[in-house]
Coordinates of all heavy atoms in Angstrom, one line a residue:
D1 N 16.4 -9.8 20.0 CA 17.4 -9.0 20.6 C 17.7 -7.7 19.8 O 18.7 -7.1 19.9 CB 18.7 -9.8 20.8 CG 19.2 -10.3 19.5 OD1 18.6 -10.1 18.5 OD2 20.3 -11.0 19.5
R2 N 16.7 -7.3 19.0 CA 16.9 -6.1 18.2 C 15.7 -5.2 18.3 O 14.6 -5.7 18.6 CB 17.2 -6.5 16.7 CG 16.0 -7.1 16.0 CD 16.3 -7.6 14.6 NE 15.1 -8.1 13.9 CZ 14.3 -7.5 13.2 NH1 14.5 -6.2 13.0 NH2 13.3 -8.0 12.6
D3 N 15.9 -3.9 18.0 CA 14.8 -2.9 18.0 C 14.6 -2.5 16.5 O 15.5 -2.6 15.7 CB 15.2 -1.7 18.8 CG 15.3 -2.0 20.3 OD1 14.6 -3.0 20.7 OD2 15.9 -1.3 21.0
A4 N 13.4 -2.2 16.2 CA 13.0 -1.8 14.9 C 11.8 -0.9 14.9 O 11.1 -0.7 15.9 CB 12.7 -3.1 14.0
I5 N 11.6 -0.2 13.8 CA 10.4 0.7 13.6 C 9.4 -0.2 13.0 O 9.6 -0.8 11.9 CB 10.8 1.9 12.7 CG1 11.7 2.8 13.5 CG2 9.5 2.6 12.3 CD1 12.1 4.0 12.7
A6 N 8.2 -0.2 13.5 CA 7.1 -1.0 13.0 C 5.8 -0.2 13.2 O 5.6 0.5 14.2 CB 7.0 -2.4 13.7
I7 N 4.9 -0.3 12.2 CA 3.6 0.4 12.3 C 2.5 -0.6 12.0 O 2.7 -1.6 11.4 CB 3.6 1.6 11.3 CG1 3.6 1.1 9.8 CG2 4.8 2.5 11.5 CD1 3.3 2.2 8.9
P8 N 1.3 -0.2 12.4 CA 0.1 -1.1 12.1 C 0.0 -1.2 10.5 O 0.2 -0.3 9.8 CB -1.1 -0.3 12.7 CG -0.5 0.5 13.8 CD 0.9 0.9 13.3
N9 N -0.5 -2.4 10.1 CA -0.6 -2.6 8.7 C -1.6 -1.7 8.0 O -1.5 -1.4 6.8 CB -1.1 -4.1 8.5 CG 0.0 -5.1 8.8 OD1 1.2 -4.7 9.0 ND2 -0.4 -6.3 8.9
E10 N -2.6 -1.1 8.8 CA -3.5 -0.2 8.2 C -2.9 1.1 7.7 O -3.4 1.8 6.9 CB -4.6 0.2 9.3 CG -5.6 -0.9 9.6 CD -6.6 -0.4 10.6 OE1 -7.6 0.1 10.2 OE2 -6.3 -0.6 11.8
G11 N -1.7 1.4 8.2 CA -1.0 2.6 7.8 C -0.2 2.4 6.5 O 0.4 3.4 6.1
I12 N -0.2 1.2 5.9 CA 0.6 1.0 4.7 C -0.3 0.8 3.5 O -1.3 0.1 3.6 CB 1.5 -0.3 4.9 CG1 2.4 -0.1 6.1 CG2 2.3 -0.6 3.7 CD1 3.1 -1.4 6.5
V13 N 0.0 1.5 2.4 CA -0.8 1.4 1.2 C 0.1 0.8 0.1 O 1.3 1.1 0.2 CB -1.4 2.7 0.8 CG1 -2.4 3.2 1.8 CG2 -0.4 3.8 0.5
E14 N -0.5 0.1 -0.8 CA 0.3 -0.5 -1.9 C -0.2 0.0 -3.2 O -1.4 0.1 -3.5 CB 0.1 -2.0 -1.8 CG 1.0 -2.8 -2.8 CD 0.3 -3.1 -4.1 OE1 -1.0 -3.1 -4.1 OE2 1.0 -3.3 -5.1
E15 N 0.8 0.3 -4.1 CA 0.5 0.8 -5.4 C 1.5 0.1 -6.4 O 2.7 0.3 -6.3 CB 0.6 2.3 -5.6 CG -0.5 3.0 -4.9 CD -0.4 4.5 -5.1 OE1 0.5 5.0 -5.8 OE2 -1.2 5.3 -4.5
M16 N 1.0 -0.7 -7.3 CA 1.8 -1.4 -8.3 C 3.1 -2.1 -7.7 O 4.2 -1.9 -8.2 CB 2.2 -0.3 -9.3 CG 1.0 0.3 -10.0 SD 1.5 1.5 -11.3 CE 2.3 0.5 -12.5
G17 N 2.9 -2.7 -6.6 CA 4.0 -3.5 -6.0 C 4.9 -2.7 -5.1 O 5.8 -3.2 -4.5
N18 N 4.6 -1.4 -5.0 CA 5.4 -0.5 -4.1 C 4.6 -0.1 -2.9 O 3.3 -0.1 -3.0 CB 5.9 0.8 -4.8 CG 6.8 0.5 -6.0 OD1 7.7 -0.3 -5.9 ND2 6.6 1.1 -7.1
Y19 N 5.2 0.1 -1.8 CA 4.5 0.4 -0.5 C 4.8 1.8 -0.1 O 6.0 2.3 -0.2 CB 4.9 -0.6 0.5 CG 4.5 -2.0 0.1 CD1 5.4 -2.8 -0.6 CD2 3.3 -2.5 0.4 CE1 5.1 -4.1 -0.9 CE2 2.9 -3.8 0.0 CZ 3.8 -4.6 -0.6 OH 3.5 -5.9 -1.0
F20 N 3.8 2.5 0.5 CA 3.9 3.8 0.9 C 3.2 4.0 2.3 O 2.3 3.3 2.7 CB 3.2 4.8 -0.1 CG 3.8 4.7 -1.5 CD1 3.3 3.7 -2.4 CD2 4.8 5.5 -1.9 CE1 3.8 3.6 -3.7 CE2 5.3 5.4 -3.2 CZ 4.8 4.5 -4.1
V21 N 3.7 5.1 3.0 CA 3.0 5.6 4.2 C 2.8 7.1 4.0 O 3.5 7.7 3.1 CB 3.8 5.3 5.5 CG1 4.0 3.8 5.7 CG2 5.2 6.0 5.4
F22 N 1.9 7.7 4.8 CA 1.7 9.1 4.7 C 2.3 9.7 5.9 O 1.8 9.5 7.1 CB 0.2 9.4 4.6 CG -0.3 9.1 3.2 CD1 -0.9 7.9 3.0 CD2 -0.2 10.0 2.2 CE1 -1.4 7.6 1.7 CE2 -0.7 9.7 0.9 CZ -1.3 8.5 0.7
K23 N 3.4 10.5 5.7 CA 4.1 11.1 6.8 C 3.6 12.6 7.0 O 3.5 13.3 6.0 CB 5.6 11.1 6.5 CG 6.5 11.7 7.6 CD 7.9 11.5 7.3 CE 8.4 12.1 6.0 NZ 9.9 11.9 5.9
K24 N 3.4 13.0 8.2 CA 2.9 14.3 8.4 C 4.0 15.3 8.3 O 5.1 15.2 8.9 CB 2.3 14.4 9.9 CG 1.7 15.8 10.1 CD 1.0 15.8 11.5 CE 0.4 17.2 11.7 NZ -0.3 17.3 13.0
V25 N 3.8 16.3 7.4 CA 4.8 17.3 7.2 C 4.5 18.6 8.0 O 5.3 19.4 8.4 CB 5.0 17.6 5.7 CG1 5.6 16.4 5.0 CG2 3.7 18.0 5.0
C26 N 3.2 18.9 8.1 CA 2.7 20.0 9.0 C 1.2 19.7 9.2 O 0.6 18.8 8.7 CB 3.0 21.3 8.3 SG 2.2 21.5 6.7
D27 N 0.6 20.6 9.9 CA -0.8 20.4 10.3 C -1.7 20.4 9.0 O -1.7 21.4 8.2 CB -1.3 21.6 11.2 CG -2.6 21.3 11.8 OD1 -2.8 20.1 12.2 OD2 -3.4 22.2 11.9
G28 N -2.4 19.3 8.8 CA -3.3 19.1 7.7 C -2.7 18.7 6.4 O -3.3 18.6 5.4
E29 N -1.4 18.4 6.4 CA -0.7 18.0 5.1 C 0.2 16.8 5.4 O 0.9 16.7 6.4 CB 0.2 19.1 4.6 CG -0.7 20.3 4.1 CD 0.1 21.3 3.3 OE1 1.4 21.2 3.2 OE2 -0.4 22.3 2.8
Y30 N 0.1 15.8 4.5 CA 0.8 14.6 4.6 C 1.5 14.2 3.3 O 1.0 14.3 2.3 CB -0.2 13.5 5.0 CG -1.0 13.8 6.2 CD1 -2.2 14.5 6.1 CD2 -0.5 13.4 7.5 CE1 -2.9 14.8 7.3 CE2 -1.3 13.7 8.6 CZ -2.5 14.4 8.5 OH -3.2 14.8 9.6
E31 N 2.8 13.8 3.5 CA 3.6 13.4 2.3 C 3.6 11.9 2.1 O 3.9 11.1 3.0 CB 5.0 13.9 2.6 CG 5.9 13.6 1.4 CD 7.4 14.1 1.6 OE1 7.7 14.5 2.7 OE2 8.1 14.1 0.6
K32 N 3.2 11.6 0.9 CA 3.3 10.1 0.5 C 4.7 9.7 0.3 O 5.4 10.2 -0.5 CB 2.5 10.0 -0.8 CG 2.4 8.6 -1.3 CD 1.7 8.5 -2.7 CE 1.8 7.2 -3.3 NZ 1.1 7.2 -4.6
T33 N 5.1 8.8 1.2 CA 6.5 8.4 1.3 C 6.7 6.9 1.0 O 6.1 6.1 1.7 CB 7.1 8.7 2.7 OG1 6.9 10.1 3.0 CG2 8.6 8.4 2.8
Q34 N 7.6 6.6 0.1 CA 7.8 5.2 -0.2 C 8.7 4.5 0.8 O 9.6 5.1 1.3 CB 8.5 5.0 -1.6 CG 8.6 3.5 -2.0 CD 9.1 3.4 -3.5 OE1 9.2 4.4 -4.2 NE2 9.4 2.2 -3.9
V35 N 8.3 3.3 1.2 CA 9.1 2.6 2.3 C 9.4 1.2 1.8 O 8.8 0.7 0.9 CB 8.3 2.6 3.6 CG1 8.0 4.0 4.2 CG2 6.9 1.9 3.4
A36 N 10.4 0.6 2.5 CA 10.7 -0.8 2.3 C 10.3 -1.6 3.5 O 10.5 -1.1 4.7 CB 12.2 -1.0 2.1
L37 N 9.6 -2.7 3.3 CA 9.0 -3.4 4.4 C 9.9 -4.6 4.8 O 10.6 -5.2 4.0 CB 7.6 -4.0 4.0 CG 6.6 -3.0 3.5 CD1 5.3 -3.7 3.2 CD2 6.4 -1.8 4.5
G38 N 9.8 -4.9 6.1 CA 10.5 -6.1 6.6 C 9.5 -7.2 7.0 O 8.5 -7.4 6.4
A39 N 9.7 -7.8 8.2 CA 8.8 -8.8 8.7 C 7.5 -8.2 9.2 O 7.4 -7.1 9.5 CB 9.5 -9.6 9.8
T40 N 6.5 -9.1 9.3 CA 5.2 -8.7 9.8 C 4.7 -9.7 10.8 O 5.0 -10.9 10.6 CB 4.2 -8.4 8.7 OG1 2.9 -8.0 9.3 CG2 4.0 -9.7 7.9
D41 N 4.0 -9.3 11.8 CA 3.4 -10.3 12.7 C 1.9 -10.4 12.5 O 1.1 -11.0 13.3 CB 3.7 -9.9 14.2 CG 3.0 -8.6 14.5 OD1 2.3 -8.0 13.7 OD2 3.3 -8.1 15.7
G42 N 1.4 -9.9 11.3 CA 0.0 -10.0 11.0 C -0.7 -8.7 11.3 O -1.7 -8.4 10.7
R43 N -0.2 -7.9 12.3 CA -0.8 -6.7 12.7 C 0.1 -5.5 12.5 O -0.4 -4.5 12.0 CB -1.2 -6.7 14.2 CG -2.4 -7.5 14.5 CD -2.9 -7.3 15.9 NE -4.3 -7.8 16.1 CZ -5.0 -7.6 17.2 NH1 -4.5 -6.9 18.2 NH2 -6.2 -8.0 17.3
R44 N 1.4 -5.7 12.8 CA 2.3 -4.6 12.6 C 3.4 -5.1 11.6 O 3.8 -6.3 11.6 CB 2.9 -4.1 13.9 CG 1.9 -3.5 14.8 CD 2.5 -3.2 16.2 NE 3.4 -2.0 16.1 CZ 3.0 -0.8 16.2 NH1 1.7 -0.5 16.4 NH2 3.8 0.2 16.0
T45 N 4.0 -4.2 10.8 CA 5.0 -4.5 9.9 C 6.2 -3.7 10.1 O 6.1 -2.5 10.3 CB 4.5 -4.4 8.4 OG1 3.4 -5.3 8.2 CG2 5.6 -4.7 7.4

């Protein structure tokens, strides 16, 4: 009964126990952004 933001697991990278995604800031440039993860269904987190 709740809504959440979830993305495919392929979009998440892990470094030294921290998790990141690459957020588009403009055309051709992506910002490495640290995120906190919740539940996963095996395909999306």
